[in-house]
Amino acid sequence: MSRPRLGILLSGRGSNFEAITRNVLNGTIKAEIALVFSNRPDARGIDRARQLGLTCATIASAGADRVEFDRKVAALLTDHHVDLVCLAGYMRILTGEFVRQFPQRLLNIHPSLLPAFPGLDAQYQALQHGVKVSGCTVHFVDENMDAGPILLQATVPVLDDDTVQSLSSRILEQEHRVYSEAIQWVLEGNFRIEGRRVLRT
Ligand code: GRF
Protein backbone atom coordinates (compact mmCIF):
# COMPACT_ATOMS: atom_id res chain seq x y z
CA MET A 1 0.00 0.00 0.00
CA SER A 2 1.40 3.42 -0.88
CA ARG A 3 2.17 5.82 1.93
CA PRO A 4 0.22 9.07 2.38
CA ARG A 5 1.85 12.05 0.76
CA LEU A 6 2.71 15.25 2.63
CA GLY A 7 3.02 18.71 1.13
CA ILE A 8 4.98 21.16 3.26
CA LEU A 9 4.64 24.91 2.76
CA LEU A 10 7.25 27.20 4.29
CA SER A 11 8.59 30.72 4.00
CA GLY A 12 11.71 30.83 6.13
CA ARG A 13 14.10 28.93 8.37
CA GLY A 14 12.29 25.62 8.08
CA SER A 15 13.13 24.02 11.41
CA ASN A 16 9.64 22.52 11.68
CA PHE A 17 10.01 21.17 8.17
CA GLU A 18 13.32 19.57 9.19
CA ALA A 19 11.79 18.02 12.31
CA ILE A 20 8.93 16.57 10.24
CA THR A 21 11.42 15.23 7.70
CA ARG A 22 13.48 13.55 10.45
CA ASN A 23 10.35 11.87 11.75
CA VAL A 24 9.35 10.73 8.26
CA LEU A 25 12.81 9.25 7.76
CA ASN A 26 12.85 7.47 11.13
CA GLY A 27 9.33 6.10 10.59
CA THR A 28 7.56 8.01 13.39
CA ILE A 29 5.44 9.66 10.70
CA LYS A 30 4.23 7.01 8.30
CA ALA A 31 4.19 9.09 5.14
CA GLU A 32 6.40 10.42 2.43
CA ILE A 33 7.18 14.01 1.58
CA ALA A 34 5.74 14.62 -1.86
CA LEU A 35 6.51 18.33 -2.17
CA VAL A 36 8.18 21.15 -0.28
CA PHE A 37 6.96 24.54 -1.47
CA SER A 38 8.15 28.04 -0.62
CA ASN A 39 6.70 31.41 -1.60
CA ARG A 40 10.17 32.81 -0.93
CA PRO A 41 12.65 31.29 -3.37
CA ASP A 42 15.57 32.19 -1.07
CA ALA A 43 14.14 30.62 2.09
CA ARG A 44 16.65 28.64 4.14
CA GLY A 45 14.09 25.85 4.47
CA ILE A 46 13.86 25.28 0.72
CA ASP A 47 17.67 25.16 0.45
CA ARG A 48 17.67 22.45 3.11
CA ALA A 49 14.92 20.56 1.29
CA ARG A 50 16.97 20.63 -1.91
CA GLN A 51 20.06 19.40 -0.05
CA LEU A 52 17.97 16.53 1.27
CA GLY A 53 16.98 15.63 -2.29
CA LEU A 54 13.29 16.31 -1.80
CA THR A 55 10.96 17.48 -4.55
CA CYS A 56 10.80 21.27 -4.26
CA ALA A 57 8.95 24.12 -5.91
CA THR A 58 8.97 27.86 -5.41
CA ILE A 59 6.83 30.69 -6.70
CA ALA A 60 7.64 34.18 -5.49
CA SER A 61 4.54 35.67 -3.89
CA ALA A 62 5.77 39.24 -3.71
CA GLY A 63 3.34 41.40 -5.67
CA ALA A 64 1.25 38.43 -6.83
CA ASP A 65 -2.55 38.40 -6.91
CA ARG A 66 -3.66 36.35 -3.87
CA VAL A 67 -6.34 34.33 -5.61
CA GLU A 68 -4.18 33.54 -8.64
CA PHE A 69 -1.20 32.71 -6.46
CA ASP A 70 -3.12 30.31 -4.23
CA ARG A 71 -4.62 28.62 -7.30
CA LYS A 72 -1.11 27.90 -8.57
CA VAL A 73 -0.03 26.50 -5.22
CA ALA A 74 -3.16 24.34 -4.98
CA ALA A 75 -2.50 23.04 -8.50
CA LEU A 76 1.07 22.10 -7.53
CA LEU A 77 -0.18 20.21 -4.49
CA THR A 78 -2.78 18.40 -6.56
CA ASP A 79 -0.26 17.57 -9.30
CA HIS A 80 1.97 15.98 -6.67
CA HIS A 81 -0.97 14.00 -5.23
CA VAL A 82 -0.60 15.54 -1.80
CA ASP A 83 -2.90 14.04 0.83
CA LEU A 84 -2.07 16.31 3.78
CA VAL A 85 -0.79 19.90 3.62
CA CYS A 86 1.36 21.10 6.52
CA LEU A 87 2.05 24.80 6.92
CA ALA A 88 5.45 25.18 8.57
CA GLY A 89 6.23 28.85 8.99
CA TYR A 90 4.25 29.71 5.86
CA MET A 91 3.81 33.45 6.16
CA ARG A 92 0.66 33.89 4.12
CA ILE A 93 -3.04 34.06 4.81
CA LEU A 94 -4.70 31.53 2.54
CA THR A 95 -7.72 32.28 0.39
CA GLY A 96 -11.00 30.62 1.24
CA GLU A 97 -10.90 28.86 -2.11
CA PHE A 98 -7.56 27.26 -1.20
CA VAL A 99 -8.68 26.24 2.29
CA ARG A 100 -11.89 24.65 0.96
CA GLN A 101 -9.86 22.45 -1.38
CA PHE A 102 -8.23 20.66 1.56
CA PRO A 103 -10.98 19.97 4.12
CA GLN A 104 -9.44 18.41 7.25
CA ARG A 105 -6.24 18.05 5.26
CA LEU A 106 -4.57 21.36 6.08
CA LEU A 107 -2.60 21.87 9.31
CA ASN A 108 -0.68 24.74 10.87
CA ILE A 109 1.50 25.22 13.92
CA HIS A 110 1.46 28.45 15.90
CA PRO A 111 3.85 29.44 18.70
CA SER A 112 1.26 30.27 21.37
CA LEU A 113 -1.58 28.62 23.20
CA LEU A 114 -4.37 29.65 20.85
CA PRO A 115 -6.73 31.45 20.99
CA ALA A 116 -4.21 33.63 22.86
CA PHE A 117 -1.83 35.66 20.71
CA PRO A 118 -2.72 34.84 17.11
CA GLY A 119 -0.83 36.52 14.28
CA LEU A 120 2.73 37.75 14.16
CA ASP A 121 5.22 37.85 17.03
CA ALA A 122 3.22 35.53 19.28
CA GLN A 123 6.13 35.05 21.70
CA TYR A 124 6.59 38.83 22.02
CA GLN A 125 2.85 39.21 22.60
CA ALA A 126 3.02 36.56 25.35
CA LEU A 127 5.89 38.33 27.12
CA GLN A 128 4.17 41.71 26.81
CA HIS A 129 0.97 40.31 28.24
CA GLY A 130 2.82 38.80 31.19
CA VAL A 131 1.48 35.26 30.92
CA LYS A 132 3.27 32.67 33.06
CA VAL A 133 2.68 29.78 30.67
CA SER A 134 2.83 29.70 26.90
CA GLY A 135 3.41 27.04 24.27
CA CYS A 136 2.35 25.99 20.83
CA THR A 137 -0.77 24.82 19.04
CA VAL A 138 -1.30 22.52 16.07
CA HIS A 139 -4.65 23.21 14.44
CA PHE A 140 -6.65 22.63 11.30
CA VAL A 141 -6.65 25.67 9.08
CA ASP A 142 -9.88 27.43 8.27
CA GLU A 143 -10.50 30.75 6.57
CA ASN A 144 -9.59 32.82 9.62
CA MET A 145 -6.05 33.35 10.84
CA ASP A 146 -4.80 30.89 13.50
CA ALA A 147 -8.38 29.92 14.22
CA GLY A 148 -9.28 26.37 13.11
CA PRO A 149 -10.06 23.40 15.39
CA ILE A 150 -7.17 22.52 17.71
CA LEU A 151 -5.48 19.12 17.47
CA LEU A 152 -2.69 19.34 20.05
CA GLN A 153 -1.05 21.87 22.31
CA ALA A 154 2.11 21.81 24.40
CA THR A 155 2.93 24.18 27.24
CA VAL A 156 6.16 25.74 28.46
CA PRO A 157 6.78 28.02 31.45
CA VAL A 158 7.53 31.69 30.90
CA LEU A 159 10.47 32.60 33.12
CA ASP A 160 11.18 35.97 34.70
CA ASP A 161 14.40 36.46 32.74
CA ASP A 162 12.97 35.29 29.39
CA THR A 163 13.63 37.22 26.21
CA VAL A 164 11.71 36.72 22.98
CA GLN A 165 14.59 34.55 21.86
CA SER A 166 14.79 32.32 24.94
CA LEU A 167 11.01 31.85 25.06
CA SER A 168 10.87 31.16 21.31
CA SER A 169 13.52 28.47 21.51
CA ARG A 170 11.79 26.77 24.48
CA ILE A 171 8.53 26.76 22.50
CA LEU A 172 10.25 25.63 19.30
CA GLU A 173 11.54 22.50 21.00
CA GLN A 174 7.91 21.57 21.73
CA GLU A 175 6.81 22.53 18.22
CA HIS A 176 9.22 20.03 16.74
CA ARG A 177 7.75 17.26 18.87
CA VAL A 178 4.06 18.06 18.79
CA TYR A 179 3.67 18.83 15.07
CA SER A 180 4.85 15.37 14.07
CA GLU A 181 2.59 13.80 16.67
CA ALA A 182 -0.41 15.69 15.27
CA ILE A 183 0.47 14.80 11.67
CA GLN A 184 0.65 11.11 12.48
CA TRP A 185 -2.65 11.32 14.36
CA VAL A 186 -4.40 12.94 11.39
CA LEU A 187 -2.90 10.39 9.00
CA GLU A 188 -4.26 7.58 11.16
CA GLY A 189 -7.68 9.21 10.82
CA ASN A 190 -8.89 8.27 14.29
CA PHE A 191 -10.43 11.62 15.14
CA ARG A 192 -13.74 13.34 14.75
CA ILE A 193 -14.58 17.01 14.91
CA GLU A 194 -17.49 18.16 17.08
CA GLY A 195 -17.96 21.88 16.80
CA ARG A 196 -14.50 23.23 17.51
CA ARG A 197 -13.34 20.11 19.34
CA VAL A 198 -11.11 17.48 17.76
CA LEU A 199 -11.74 14.23 19.61
CA ARG A 200 -10.04 10.84 19.48
CA THR A 201 -12.08 7.95 18.14
C1 GRF B 1 7.39 28.62 14.09
O1 GRF B 1 7.51 29.27 15.32
C2 GRF B 1 5.95 28.29 13.79
O2 GRF B 1 5.20 28.01 14.94
C3 GRF B 1 5.45 29.55 13.16
O3 GRF B 1 6.53 30.01 12.38
C4 GRF B 1 7.75 29.53 12.92
C5 GRF B 1 8.44 28.80 11.83
O4 GRF B 1 9.72 28.36 12.21
N1 GRF B 1 4.24 29.32 12.40
P1 GRF B 1 10.52 27.35 11.27
O5 GRF B 1 10.61 28.05 9.91
O6 GRF B 1 9.75 26.09 11.20
O7 GRF B 1 11.87 27.21 11.90
Side-chain angles (χ1 to χ4, degrees):
M1 219 173 68
S2 66
R3 285 185 300 168
R5 295 168 66 78
L6 303 182
I8 300 182
L9 272 48
L10 57 82
S11 302
R13 177 178 59 184
S15 73
N16 276 289
F17 147 70
E18 288 198 64
I20 293 165
T21 303
R22 267 196 304 279
N23 285 323
V24 165
L25 293 175
N26 71 22
T28 310
I29 297 175
K30 291 168 186 48
E32 61 187 284
I33 297 179
L35 180 68
V36 185
F37 172 81
S38 179
N39 65 312
R40 296 206 183 130
D42 58 351
R44 182 190 169 279
I46 205 81
D47 281 347
R48 270 304 282 151
R50 285 202 192 92
Q51 284 165 14
L52 291 164
L54 296 167
T55 303
C56 294
T58 64
I59 307 174
S61 59
D65 175 79
R66 264 183 83 221
V67 171
E68 286 306 315
F69 182 85
D70 276 8
R71 279 187 188 148
K72 287 183 194 161
V73 180
L76 274 171
L77 293 165
T78 308
D79 287 351
H80 288 82
H81 307 287
V82 165
D83 299 301
L84 181 65
V85 183
C86 305
L87 308 183
Y90 189 58
M91 304 301 285
R92 289 187 58 81
I93 297 173
L94 300 166
T95 57
E97 183 181 312
F98 184 99
V99 171
R100 283 191 295 275
Q101 267 183 268
F102 302 97
Q104 297 184 15
R105 298 196 294 131
L106 182 50
L107 306 183
N108 183 41
I109 187 153
H110 183 76
S112 76
L113 296 174
L114 290 171
F117 317 129
L120 291 176
D121 301 322
Q123 303 92 335
Y124 173 78
Q125 292 185 54
L127 282 178
Q128 286 298 104
H129 199 89
V131 293
K132 301 297 184 192
V133 176
S134 191
C136 58
T137 303
V138 185
H139 61 95
F140 285 110
V141 175
D142 65 15
E143 290 173 40
N144 302 309
M145 189 178 57
D146 301 326
I150 291 171
L151 280 147
L152 290 177
Q153 293 183 302
T155 59
V156 304
V158 180
L159 307 179
D160 287 353
D161 60 357
D162 262 334
T163 60
V164 170
Q165 203 184 0
S166 63
L167 178 59
S168 299
S169 65
R170 190 175 309 118
I171 294 173
L172 196 61
E173 211 179 299
Q174 297 304 314
E175 293 187 38
H176 293 167
R177 183 179 62 77
V178 90
Y179 205 177
S180 293
E181 202 180 308
I183 290 169
Q184 182 53 31
W185 181 23
V186 171
L187 291 176
E188 284 166 11
N190 51 357
F191 67 89
R192 68 177 196 282
I193 301 181
E194 276 180 19
R196 288 199 42 86
R197 303 181 74 198
V198 185
L199 305 171
R200 287 189 190 271
T201 55

